[in-house]
Amino acid sequence: MTADDAGSGTAEEREAWDAAAPDGAVRDTGARESAAAEALDEAPEEAPEEALEEALEEALEDEDQPDPIALRLEQLILGAERRYTPFQAARSAGVSVELATRFWRAMGFADIGQAKALTEADVLALRRLSGLVEAGLLSEPMAIQVARSTGQTSARLADWQIDSFLEGLTDPQETGMTRTEIAYPLVELLLPELEEFLVYVYRRQLAAATGRVVQAADDAEMVNRRLAVGFADLVSFTRLTRRLEEEELGELVEAFETTAADLVAAHGGRLIKTLGDEVLYAADDAGIAAEIGLRLIETLTHDETMPELRVGIAFGTVTTRMGDVFGTTVNLASRLTSIAPKNAVLVDGAFAEELSRTGDAPVSEAEAAEAAAAAEKEGEEPPSYRFALQPMWQRPVRGLGVVEPWLLSRRA
């Protein structure tokens, strides 16, 4: 409920609260309005806005105080103490409360009302983003998108590292010491190294992404590009979730995602996202995507702990947004995965044509035999194909009409 529909308290009390509150912030109309009333009673008559705001903050600053150890860890990680309410941070950064709230939410953080929970770093971030907009380097929607993409990616990274790394290292090692007591010196030692490594990896990834974009044939291709998109899906995963213990299931998923990520990266593809029992990857070259798909099958087939795998790959125009891929080509790859035989790779007609065009696979075995015979007659080396393609029965695919899938394999 916002101040406009608070429904209780005097108009003067609501006005004082609204003056300090970000748009859309959730308020408690009981305790908070009572605190506002007390603040107004204690404030001097005809007090300026700053005095009213300060009195209100003091009345509310004792609410929802975090655990002291958690607060110490927060200050260690952020490198600064809590100093600002959202209203103060926006004013110090020279931006509207509305824009500051949009940036904050885009980064993935919940509304904090008028708690004094922001630091100098938050003010500086607001100044930087708004400065890019004012300078014309970014539009406001683009700045919001930058905040959202960075927030979503770093949130997952932070959760991942805490779950898989810090939690294991902070198990109590000495009698009488809690995990949080050990966590503080550990974070103090690790934080600078992890921060440096994060910046290094980000720059490396940014260089790679920029290189791919500038090689595009035209401006349209920078956003809507022709890519090979592949899905790899574990078979009967739902049944496994009922049979395995939670820890075993977690280990299986982690092993699958790690194996897939390593194979995709090693062969020149890009891991777009993981979905537990499924991974989505992309490659600029159809041959690379085919190699990754077959390698995934071959690798997991030799691992007795892993279930069987299905892979579907399609080639065509793909829209890229915030590190993800969208479009008919992606949908087709997903559908091919769902109808692929176990431990097999299905591809669409466009992907088969691309492999033939690049010389990675013959159009047909008859053509391959003819080319080999002609080369032998001329005393030349016959064409060397990496992959074989076998046409499958045409079939309707939900939402995409009738498609003719091809079974991809290695050519002996």
Side-chain angles (χ1 to χ4, degrees), residues 237-256:
F237 184 75
T238 302
R239 191 158 58 242
L240 278 174
T241 61
R242 294 193 293 265
R243 182 166 57 87
L244 297 178
E245 298 290 338
E246 288 187 3
E247 186 174 346
E248 293 176 312
L249 190 63
E251 291 174 354
L252 184 145
V253 168
E254 184 177 356
F256 171 57

Side-chain angles (χ1 to χ4, degrees), residues 102-228:
R102 291 182 65 197
F103 280 142
W104 182 254
R105 291 173 179 171
M107 287 187 289
F109 300 117
D111 292 342
I112 56 176
Q114 280 310 298
K116 189 176 286 187
L118 304 181
T119 71
E120 287 288 353
D122 297 302
V123 173
L124 181 58
L126 282 175
R127 285 177 184 159
R128 282 176 171 163
L129 276 176
S130 61
L132 292 174
V133 174
E134 291 174 4
L137 296 174
L138 294 177
S139 65
E140 187 173 310
M142 191 178 298
I144 296 294
Q145 193 175 65
V146 167
R148 180 169 289 110
S149 61
T150 306
Q152 290 179 358
T153 304
S154 56
R156 187 181 182 196
L157 174 63
D159 285 340
W160 194 350
Q161 289 183 340
I162 289 296
D163 290 343
S164 63
F165 182 54
L166 292 179
E167 184 176 351
L169 289 180
T170 56
D171 285 333
Q173 302 294 321
E174 299 181 21
T175 304
M177 292 191 69
T178 65
R179 177 175 295 166
T180 50
E181 288 171 337
I182 295 176
Y184 188 92
L186 184 63
V187 170
E188 193 171 26
L189 291 171
L190 286 175
L191 184 60
E193 304 300 325
L194 292 177
E195 186 174 14
E196 289 291 334
F197 185 69
L198 175 62
V199 172
Y200 156 74
V201 175
Y202 169 71
R203 286 180 177 272
R204 267 290 177 188
Q205 292 288 1
L206 189 62
T210 304
R212 290 192 296 268
V213 169
V214 298
Q215 291 176 24
D218 53 46
D219 289 346
E221 270 195 42
M222 290 185 179
V223 177
N224 299 304
R225 304 161 59 193
R226 287 179 63 78
L227 296 175

